Amino acid sequence: MTTRGERHLEGEREFVALGASQEADLGRRVFAYGRGCVLVDVDGREYVDLAAGTMTQSLGHSHPEVVEAVTAQVGALTNVHDNPTPQRLDAARALARLLPEHLGAMGFFTTGTEVVEAALRVAHATAEPGRTRIAALRRGFHGKTRGSRAAVQWDIGTEPPGPTLLGYPAYCYRCPFELTYPACDMLCARLTVKQAIARPDVAALLAEPIQGAAGVIVPPREYWEVVGKACADHGVLLIADEVLTGGGRTGEFLASQHYGLAPDLVTLAKGLGSGHPVAVLAGRPDLLTEATWGAVGGYSSTFGGGPVGLTAATATLTVLHRDALVDKVRKLGLLLADELSTVAEHPLVGEVRGLGLLHAIELVGPGRAPNPSAVERVFQRALDMGVRVMPGGSVLRIAPPFLIEPDELVDAVRRLGRAIDQVYREDAS
C-alpha cells in the first residue's frame, strides 16, 4: 500500500522539473508542517530538524510571535516596490541593535545570491581606476546567479569563467600543501595575500569567514589576522559573506566577530526572516551612498524590502535580542561539541568541526578518502530514525534552531551517531 507521501511524489513528477537538491532527492519526504524544532510529514512521521529548514529557522518552525506579526502584515500591505514603509524602518532599527557600529548603512533584498550580487556591484562602483577584479576563496559558495556563481568559477555548460582570483581557505583537515597547523605558518593565508589580495587590480575579497557549503571550514584565528590585515593594507574591500553564518548561528551575531574582523560590507540572509525571503547588505556609510546606489541601479528589486519579509525579520531579530539567544547559542554550541566528540571517535568519521550551532561531520573511507556514499546512506538512515540533517559531499552539516532544548539536542545527536554506526557495520559485514 502506497503512502500519502509516495502518492504526492508521483503527482509532482507529472509537473515539477527535475533538479531538486540532494537532500530532497535522497529524503523523499513530503513535509506538512513544523512546530518548534520538529517537522511532521504528510504521513504523520516526526523529525527533529537539525538543519533548521535550510538554516533559515533560527527560532524554529512557526514561531508564534513571527506568525502573529506576519499574519497581521499580510492583511495590511504586501508590496509597494522600494517605497519607504514603517516596516523597513523597524527592520533597520532591529538590525542596527545587533550589528557592529561601523556597519551603519543597509539595503534590503530577498535572497542570499541577490545580496551578494549587490555587494559586488558596490565593490565595482566604488573601486579606484584599474581595480577591476574580485578575489575569492577556493571552495567558497556565494549563490547561484551569474555574478555570485562566477566568483568561484562554476563550470556550467559553455559559460566562461569569471575574472576571479582565487585564494586558499584554511581547510586544515585536507591541507592542499600537506602541512599541519600550526607548523604550516599559515601558508594558505600568505599565498592568498600574495596571489590575490596584493595585486593592484583587485577591488575586493569576497569570502565566507567560515565556509558553510564547503563543509563548515573553521579557520584558525591567525588565518583571518593575516588576510584581514592584508585587505586593509592593500586597499581591498573585504566583503564578508555571512548569508549562512550571520544572525547568531556561530555564537556571535556575525562570524566575523570571532576573528576580530571589521568587514567593509556584509551580506546576510537565511536566518534573518524565519523562513521568509529577506536579505540585507550592511556596510560602511561611505560605501553605501546615494551616489553609489545610483551608479549600480539602486538597491531596489521587485520583492526586495517587502513589508511581509521585513516584518518577519523584525520579529525574529526582536526575539533574538530580547531573549539573548546568541548567548544561548554559545552554550548550546558547547553541548553540541561535547556530544559530537564521541561521534568523532567513530572509525567512519574523519573529523568533526564547527562553532556555535553550526557543525559538520566529515565521513571517510580507507586512507581518509572522502566518503559521499556513506553520507547519503547516513542521511537516509537518520531520517528513518526521526532526525534531519544536511548532506553535502562527504559532510553532514548540523545547524539546529536556537530554541532547541538541551535534552532534545542530545537525543537527536545520539540517534545520528547510531545511524553512522549502522552504516559502518553494514559496510564492514
Side-chain angles (χ1 to χ4, degrees), residues 169-254:
Y171 188 7
C172 297
Y173 182 67
R174 297 192 183 278
C175 175
F177 313 110
E178 299 183 352
L179 299 174
T180 302
Y181 174 79
C184 60
D185 192 30
M186 285 287 104
L187 179 60
C188 54
R190 291 187 289 108
L191 285 177
T192 296
V193 173
K194 180 179 179 180
Q195 297 177 5
I197 296 170
R199 290 178 52 120
D201 59 347
V202 173
L205 170 67
L206 169 65
E208 303 158 271
I210 295 173
Q211 290 187 326
V216 189
I217 308 303
V218 183
R221 185 178 177 88
E222 298 96 312
Y223 177 86
W224 280 114
E225 287 176 351
V226 172
V227 173
K229 183 177 184 300
C231 286
D233 290 346
H234 293 279
V236 171
L237 291 182
L238 177 55
I239 306 172
D241 183 349
E242 301 239 19
V243 165
L244 187 153
T245 52
R249 167 103 2 231
T250 64
E252 294 284 358
F253 188 71
L254 300 178

Side-chain angles (χ1 to χ4, degrees), residues 37-48:
C37 299
V38 175
L39 284 166
V40 182
D41 69 18
V42 293
D43 293 299
R45 294 171 296 198
E46 295 187 354
Y47 309 84
V48 178

Side-chain angles (χ1 to χ4, degrees), residues 20-238:
S21 67
Q22 180 189 30
E23 173 203 336
D25 184 55
L26 291 171
R28 297 177 56 79
R29 286 343 192 245
V30 181
F31 295 111
Y33 63 91
R35 295 289 184 273
C37 299
V38 175
L39 284 166
V40 182
D41 69 18
V42 293
D43 293 299
R45 294 171 296 198
E46 295 187 354
Y47 309 84
V48 178
D49 189 7
L50 293 188
T54 177
M55 302 190 193
T56 53
Q57 312 305 121
S58 299
L59 305 184
H61 296 276
S62 305
H63 189 280
E65 292 183 51
V66 177
V67 170
E68 181 181 3
V70 167
T71 300
Q73 186 59 48
V74 167
L77 182 68
T78 56
N79 193 314
V80 284
H81 196 219
D82 63 344
N83 286 271
T85 62
Q87 292 73 37
R88 190 164 74 179
L89 181 56
D90 289 344
R93 285 172 171 163
L95 191 59
R97 284 198 300 261
L98 295 160
L99 282 170
E101 287 187 9
H102 78 281
L103 299 173
M106 60 191 76
F108 294 98
F109 300 85
T110 53
T111 67
T113 192
E114 186 185 24
V115 74
V116 167
E117 295 268 7
L120 293 174
R121 294 197 301 271
V122 170
H124 285 300
T126 58
E128 299 172 356
R131 290 186 179 268
T132 59
R133 305 190 70 174
I134 301 295
L137 299 180
R138 291 168 172 83
R139 306 181 66 90
F141 177 80
H142 304 288
K144 296 177 181 176
T145 51
R146 178 69 178 94
S148 59
R149 193 171 68 234
V152 285
Q153 300 183 354
W154 284 23
D155 293 325
I156 304 292
T158 61
E159 185 176 291
T164 312
L165 297 162
L166 295 180
Y168 293 92
Y171 188 7
C172 297
Y173 182 67
R174 297 192 183 278
C175 175
F177 313 110
E178 299 183 352
L179 299 174
T180 302
Y181 174 79
C184 60
D185 192 30
M186 285 287 104
L187 179 60
C188 54
R190 291 187 289 108
L191 285 177
T192 296
V193 173
K194 180 179 179 180
Q195 297 177 5
I197 296 170
R199 290 178 52 120
D201 59 347
V202 173
L205 170 67
L206 169 65
E208 303 158 271
I210 295 173
Q211 290 187 326
V216 189
I217 308 303
V218 183
R221 185 178 177 88
E222 298 96 312
Y223 177 86
W224 280 114
E225 287 176 351
V226 172
V227 173
K229 183 177 184 300
C231 286
D233 290 346
H234 293 279
V236 171
L237 291 182
L238 177 55

